[in-house]
Amino acid sequence: MSLSWQHLLAFLVAIGVLVTVHEFGHFWVARRLGFKVLRFSIGFGKPLLRWTGRDADKTEYVIAALPLGGYVRMLDEREAAVDPAELDRAFTRRPHWQRILVLLAGPAANIIFAILLLAGMTWTNGITEVRPVVGDVVAGSPAARAGLVSGQTITALEGKPVVGQREVMLGLIDAMTDTGRIALTVKDADGAGRGVVLDVPDPAERHRLSEPEALFKGLGFGFWQPPLPAVLGAVEAGGPAARAGLKSGDEILAVNGEPVSGFLALRARIESHGGEEVVLAYRRAGVEASVRVAVAREEAAGRSVGRIHVGPGGRLKYPDAMLLHVAPGPLQSLWLGTVDAWDMTALQARMFWRMVVGQVSLKNLSGPLTIAEFAGDSAAAGPGAFVGFLVLISLSLGFLNLLPIPVLDGGQVVWQLVEWIRGGPLPERVQAFGQQAGIALLVLLMGVALFNDIARQFG
């Protein structure tokens, strides 16, 4: 899709909020421990706004032109001469344990912020889980070989009870990017329970399953969904459907003369005609007509599919029997938010390591274009979706900054620990090499992420 100014605005708001939270963590702990803070900057480069605080240290506050980051500058004799009267407040003169706390405070602030957002959403809206009922199962697929049947309800993974689709999805991602084997407990439509084992022994196939949007297609099943009318919602300006004259609210009746039963069936039919021209019969304001649409051919999840760049015009409405809703109190919401944040961060760490050792596709690395796309889409979907996006990105920012890469907070913690153990600073040559290696690694990761962005945007 093409990125609009709404995507850019949502991206800047999200990054601005999360960078401010991160840097405030460093700033707040540094001030409490007696470090002298010279500058608190949101963004890099030329200052757009600048003011001086009323505190005794006259800390300078800056909002700079390049919003992709920020920093807290502390008094440091490595950067400039320091008044002897203030040497005890310089970063290098504070105890190592205090320096480490300041460095850890940024990632910790992002994680705490995510926990508070999760707790707030849970307390305000409660938790609504959609039961994991198996939908269509593709013949000959790993799901079919395991014995999964449409209409079964998944009740446990590896003996651990589950109640919602999200738990099942995360469990499948974890298992399929590791051993490729997971035991499911399922309940048949008649209420009888039994065990099945999903097994993908081929490492190459498991690697393909780790690509974005490839898991369920590769396993050969999905969750049951109620019918969704084939009514168009968003019709992307300049896209194939818009160029053909289709509009939001149009109901698609048939593709090449064959009736479609709903939006998912329409999507499946369009995906099979990438690069071709199809005839869509539609109804608008009670009047039926047809139009020829040139279907774009794009890459998605490692395969070529057709797209006409439209979205559904309605929402899935599950029957009450498919939903489980709970309304926790404030303390329980805080606990659930903490557990959820821990589980997501732990899974993120496992996935990152598996990516390093080659078990997970590098296509999962996302750069600024993809993040901006998700930011804009979540903002358009409503406040709840945007807050959920902030949770995911805040946890990612906290985790990534804990990695032991010299230019990140985690790498600086490692330097401080080594200095503490050896009783003095590392040689300048070692520090310079570490900084250069860290920058090179980050540039490599950013290059892969940007390549993935471009590939997603332009196929």
Side-chain angles (χ1 to χ4, degrees):
M1 66 171 293
S2 58
L3 296 177
S4 65
W5 68 267
Q6 290 97 331
H7 288 90
L8 179 61
L9 178 61
F11 173 72
L12 293 178
V13 169
I15 293 300
V17 168
L18 297 180
V19 167
T20 301
V21 168
H22 182 92
E23 299 305 333
F24 180 77
H26 292 308
F27 172 80
W28 189 84
V29 172
R31 291 281 294 267
R32 293 302 177 275
L33 292 176
F35 292 73
K36 183 172 182 177
V37 178
L38 303 178
R39 175 181 284 187
F40 182 121
S41 178
I42 303 303
F44 300 106
K46 181 180 179 181
L48 300 178
L49 292 174
R50 187 195 326 233
W51 67 96
T52 301
R54 298 180 180 179
D55 55 284
D57 291 339
K58 302 298 181 183
T59 302
E60 183 181 43
Y61 299 89
V62 173
I63 298 177
L66 187 61
L68 301 179
Y71 61 92
V72 173
R73 179 175 295 161
M74 285 167 265
L75 190 67
D76 194 325
E77 56 190 322
R78 296 170 298 182
E79 297 181 358
V82 176
D83 185 339
E86 293 189 315
L87 267 177
D88 64 321
R89 299 190 65 198
F91 183 86
T92 51
R93 298 299 181 99
R94 305 301 297 174
H96 283 89
W97 67 269
Q98 292 188 0
R99 302 183 215 171
I100 291 171
L101 284 181
V102 170
L103 290 167
L104 291 176
N110 283 123
I111 294 171
I112 292 170
F113 181 65
I115 290 172
L116 294 176
L117 289 180
L118 284 168
M121 288 194 298
T122 301
W123 186 26
T124 303
N125 303 322
I127 301 174
T128 300
E129 297 279 4
V130 182
R131 298 188 188 279
V133 176
V134 177
D136 293 334
V137 178
V138 178
S141 67
R145 292 194 300 269
L148 278 180
V149 177
S150 179
Q152 292 174 329
T153 301
I154 300 171
T155 59
L157 302 179
E158 296 292 345
K160 181 181 178 181
V162 294
V163 296
Q165 293 181 3
R166 181 173 174 272
E167 292 175 283
V168 174
M169 182 177 65
L170 293 179
L172 291 175
I173 290 172
D174 198 9
M176 290 302 135
T177 56
D178 188 18
T179 63
R181 187 180 190 278
I182 186 169
L184 311 179
T185 304
V186 298
K187 184 170 65 174
D188 293 328
D190 60 5
R194 62 190 182 92
V196 300
V197 177
L198 267 174
D199 190 14
V200 182
D202 182 11
E205 180 61 23
R206 294 202 300 271
H207 190 272
R208 285 191 289 271
L209 290 179
S210 73
E211 295 181 3
E213 301 180 18
L215 180 66
F216 284 100
K217 290 180 180 178
L219 291 177
F221 85 101
F223 296 122
W224 179 85
Q225 292 183 338
L228 184 64
V231 176
L232 304 186
V235 177
E236 184 179 321
R243 291 197 302 269
L246 291 172
K247 298 180 180 180
S248 176
D250 289 347
E251 181 184 1
I252 306 301
L253 305 175
V255 177
N256 289 339
E258 296 184 18
V260 292
S261 57
F263 191 85
L264 296 181
L266 169 65
R267 176 181 292 168
R269 295 288 304 281
I270 293 298
E271 285 185 350
S272 66
H273 289 285
E276 303 174 16
E277 189 176 75
V278 298
V279 177
L280 298 184
Y282 67 95
R283 181 186 293 117
R284 179 186 300 167
V287 178
E288 296 185 8
S290 62
V291 66
R292 292 185 176 274
V293 181
V295 180
R297 184 168 61 189
E298 301 176 359
E299 291 297 316
R303 65 190 185 99
S304 181
V305 298
R307 295 277 191 263
I308 59 172
H309 294 194
V310 297
R315 293 186 177 182
L316 295 175
K317 182 164 180 61
Y318 288 92
D320 292 342
M322 283 282 293
L323 302 176
L324 177 65
H325 183 80
V326 294
L331 292 180
Q332 188 181 5
S333 296
L334 183 60
W335 169 251
L336 291 173
T338 303
V339 171
D340 206 11
W342 167 258
D343 288 343
M344 285 191 282
T345 303
L347 178 60
Q348 192 172 202
R350 293 194 295 273
M351 293 291 287
F352 185 84
W353 174 248
R354 291 167 191 170
M355 194 180 299
V356 170
V357 299
Q359 291 178 248
V360 171
S361 173
L362 289 174
K363 292 180 181 180
N364 290 284
L365 284 175
S366 297
L369 296 180
T370 299
I371 296 173
E373 182 178 327
F374 288 155
D377 290 347
S378 63
F386 188 66
V387 170
F389 167 80
L390 288 179
V391 167
L392 293 176
I393 301 301
S394 192
L395 288 175
S396 297
L397 188 59
F399 167 74
L400 290 174
N401 271 279
L402 289 174
L403 294 176
I405 299 174
V407 293
L408 299 178
D409 295 326
Q412 295 302 311
V413 168
V414 172
W415 283 146
Q416 295 302 321
L417 287 171
V418 172
E419 285 189 9
W420 197 357
I421 292 170
R422 74 191 301 268
L426 290 164
E428 290 186 6
R429 184 188 307 176
V430 174
Q431 295 188 44
F433 175 78
Q435 294 288 338
Q436 292 167 1
I439 291 172
L441 181 56
L442 283 182
V443 169
L444 177 62
L445 291 174
M446 291 172 63
V448 173
L450 189 57
F451 174 83
N452 289 342
D453 278 1
I454 294 171
R456 292 185 186 113
Q457 292 293 321
F458 303 108

